[in-house]
Amino acid sequence: MRRQIWPYRRPSAETLSADTWQLIIDEGPTDLPASLPHWDYRTNLSLSRQITIDMDLLRSEVRLPSDAKVQVAVIWTASGSNLRQSAGAVAIHREGRQKADLEVQLPGELLGGTVTLRTLLTVADPGTVEDPLAPRLSGSILWSDEHKVRLQGDAPQFPIAIVDFSRTTFPDNASWHLELGTQLESATMGTLLLYINERSKPTVQAFQRAAAPRAVDKVILDAVYADVARLMVEAALHHPDFTDESAFDEDSLGETFQNLIHSLFPGRTVADLRQLREHSPHRLSTQIQAAVGVFQES
């Protein structure tokens, strides 16, 4: 196991305590889960967390002078969009036990895939450092941890657009439409687009409440995801270059197809499913419905 050697003193575990990340929803805060299976690109992530620091012990252990300042910062990265940004920082410069209340909001349109939240305690201003083992540079990391959350769980990742179908070529009274590309090497985010008809108020409201759906929202989301899963599985099996041995880049359409099929049909081969599609497409559709678990109790 590789061990990082730091060129300055770092605090012990007793110096700091970190609460779990909280997801802020209409009903109030709740522990941030490992995945958000009904998240969509129109949903921002509102998060909060509290970090408690014993500043007296920190200064003693790290040998920081009394005029030094530290801060707690949050940086997020999203594998789906390949973006990395700061979510803000809280400065701490007083003595005794201090609390840093972190409140961040991550814009949904910039996210996708797995979001990694990295919380860091860093030196904001080293002050008049005299000890040779004390951190001497602003930005020196004293402590950090990470929390990962998978957006949409094992479901496919793609953006969602709410539009008036009367202004498109889609039927006016349809509730949704999946636009699906054909290039397996293309990025999923640029290849898939789920259109929601803004005239279908129940469907729009279901996706707006996707982070914490009501019972009626869950029914609608299940129906949409079952339909989307069916279209994506059929598209994958229709593509001659899609096989069990195919290797695709991370977050590509081909990888998304593979992840979806492995999730829905663990242990079954693409060749087996392709044969089922050719000889009994209606049975394949029913098996996809069962695998998705549409309208089943969670």
Side-chain angles (χ1 to χ4, degrees):
M1 178 183 295
R2 296 178 60 185
R3 180 180 178 184
Q4 185 170 3
I5 305 298
W6 297 88
Y8 49 82
R9 295 178 65 91
R10 301 242 298 171
S12 64
E14 290 73 22
T15 303
L16 180 148
S17 63
D19 293 346
T20 58
W21 277 105
Q22 298 289 298
L23 175 66
I24 309 302
I25 56 179
D26 291 342
E27 291 75 13
T30 184
D31 287 350
L32 180 64
S35 67
L36 295 172
H38 297 302
W39 175 87
D40 71 79
Y41 282 77
R42 291 176 57 87
T43 303
N44 296 334
L45 288 184
S46 296
L47 309 169
S48 67
R49 186 186 198 186
Q50 187 176 83
I51 308 294
T52 303
I53 306 168
D54 187 331
M55 289 297 297
D56 296 333
L57 182 58
L58 176 70
R59 292 186 189 279
S60 172
E61 291 187 342
V62 181
R63 311 279 179 85
L64 281 175
S66 59
D67 60 345
K69 300 178 182 178
V70 300
Q71 68 176 6
V72 180
V74 179
I75 296 174
W76 64 265
T77 58
S79 66
S81 61
N82 200 30
L83 292 177
R84 180 178 186 269
Q85 292 187 8
S86 169
V90 176
I92 301 175
H93 50 80
R94 291 177 293 178
E95 306 302 320
R97 294 183 65 83
Q98 300 297 320
K99 297 182 183 298
D101 292 313
L102 303 173
E103 295 183 0
V104 303
Q105 185 167 84
L106 310 187
E109 66 271 14
L110 301 182
L111 306 180
T114 298
V115 172
T116 300
L117 296 161
R118 191 179 185 206
T119 308
L120 306 101
L121 174 64
T122 66
V123 176
D125 182 351
T128 54
V129 179
E130 297 181 356
D131 192 301
L133 296 180
R136 309 179 67 86
L137 299 177
S138 296
S140 297
I141 299 174
L142 303 178
W143 169 90
S144 68
D145 78 347
E146 287 188 354
H147 183 93
K148 296 180 183 292
V149 53
R150 177 74 175 180
L151 302 181
Q152 293 184 263
D154 295 323
Q157 308 162 40
F158 48 88
I160 294 172
I162 298 179
V163 298
D164 185 349
F165 276 21
S166 67
R167 300 177 181 273
T168 70
T169 58
F170 309 142
D172 291 359
N173 58 349
S175 294
W176 64 84
H177 170 81
L178 179 67
E179 198 72 20
L180 178 59
T182 60
Q183 300 299 316
L184 297 177
E185 298 79 14
S186 299
T188 299
M189 286 185 64
T191 309
L192 299 181
L193 180 60
L194 179 64
Y195 289 98
I196 304 296
N197 190 353
E198 70 176 24
R199 295 190 172 196
S200 176
K201 300 303 182 185
T203 308
V204 172
Q205 291 175 0
F207 277 89
Q208 289 174 337
R209 297 188 175 101
R214 304 167 302 175
V216 63
D217 301 326
K218 182 67 165 55
V219 170
I220 295 172
L221 293 170
D222 277 359
V224 176
Y225 291 151
D227 187 43
V228 168
R230 177 182 59 80
L231 293 171
M232 293 181 65
V233 170
E234 291 178 352
L237 298 178
H238 180 74
H239 205 295
D241 294 332
F242 185 80
T243 67
D244 289 311
E245 292 75 28
S246 300
F248 300 104
D249 292 338
E250 184 179 3
D251 293 320
S252 66
L253 180 62
E255 188 204 44
T256 299
F257 282 164
Q258 285 181 330
N259 290 341
L260 177 63
I261 288 178
H262 292 161
S263 172
L264 296 178
F265 301 107
R268 297 187 66 174
T269 66
V270 170
D272 175 35
L273 295 172
R274 184 170 281 130
Q275 186 176 36
L276 179 61
R277 174 183 173 274
E278 292 174 356
H279 293 90
S280 185
H282 301 301
R283 183 174 293 275
L284 173 63
S285 178
T286 303
Q287 290 191 11
I288 294 173
Q289 177 195 125
V292 171
V294 62
F295 307 147
Q296 294 181 10
E297 294 290 338
S298 301

